[in-house]
Amino acid sequence: MPKPESFPIEKIFVPTKQKKAIKPETVGEIAESMLDIGQQAPISVRLDGDRLVLVDGLHRLEACKALGETTILGVLVPAELAQHKPQLAERPEVEAERLKMARLKQLRLEKEAAEASTTALRSVHATDAPRTRSTKGTRDNPKASPGRTEKSRPKTLSDWITQQKGTGSRY
């Protein structure tokens, strides 16, 4: 791996597509971090004639500009490696999709947990209620399992699988 060196910020060209991806909140966080601990990761640049073109590290570059720096630590990469970079440019969308799916999964798990707790709470209240005379068609046998006295339908797939395992049915 090439050794990081110092590059003048004004000589670094940022492609228009990359400029559109600037997030001011990220630049601010990186700038604060740079004030505390300095620049930890170098940017990547490539030579294009007599100018340097930014390959990776847009937010770090913008943070240095915001701090009034004139130079930045960077690594000079060959043009062949820089051409493979567009795959990484798609990465923010992939990361956003992954975060979205993780949030949806968390919401689903929270919903299932809430349903399970309300079901458990209802069953506690049902057992606390005084016993009344049974109506025609239902049994009043305290030893009977709840699945036999009333048709209980599972709320989630995991409940259904547990019910199937308990009754010895195939699933």
Side-chain angles (χ1 to χ4, degrees), residues 99-130:
L99 290 173
K100 177 182 164 187
M101 295 307 290
R103 280 195 309 270
L104 289 174
K105 181 180 178 183
Q106 182 65 30
L107 288 172
R108 181 179 51 82
L109 291 173
E110 289 173 0
K111 181 180 176 185
E112 287 180 8
E115 288 174 356
S117 66
T118 55
T119 302
L121 190 59
R122 285 183 189 150
S123 67
V124 167
H125 287 307
T127 57
D128 289 346

Side-chain angles (χ1 to χ4, degrees), residues 118-156:
T118 55
T119 302
L121 190 59
R122 285 183 189 150
S123 67
V124 167
H125 287 307
T127 57
D128 289 346
R131 289 204 166 262
T132 59
R133 190 108 174 123
S134 64
T135 58
K136 185 177 181 182
T138 61
R139 294 173 52 187
D140 193 18
N141 183 355
K143 291 185 179 180
S145 66
R148 298 204 181 256
T149 56
E150 61 183 60
K151 290 281 185 185
S152 61
R153 294 184 53 180
K155 299 236 186 254
T156 64

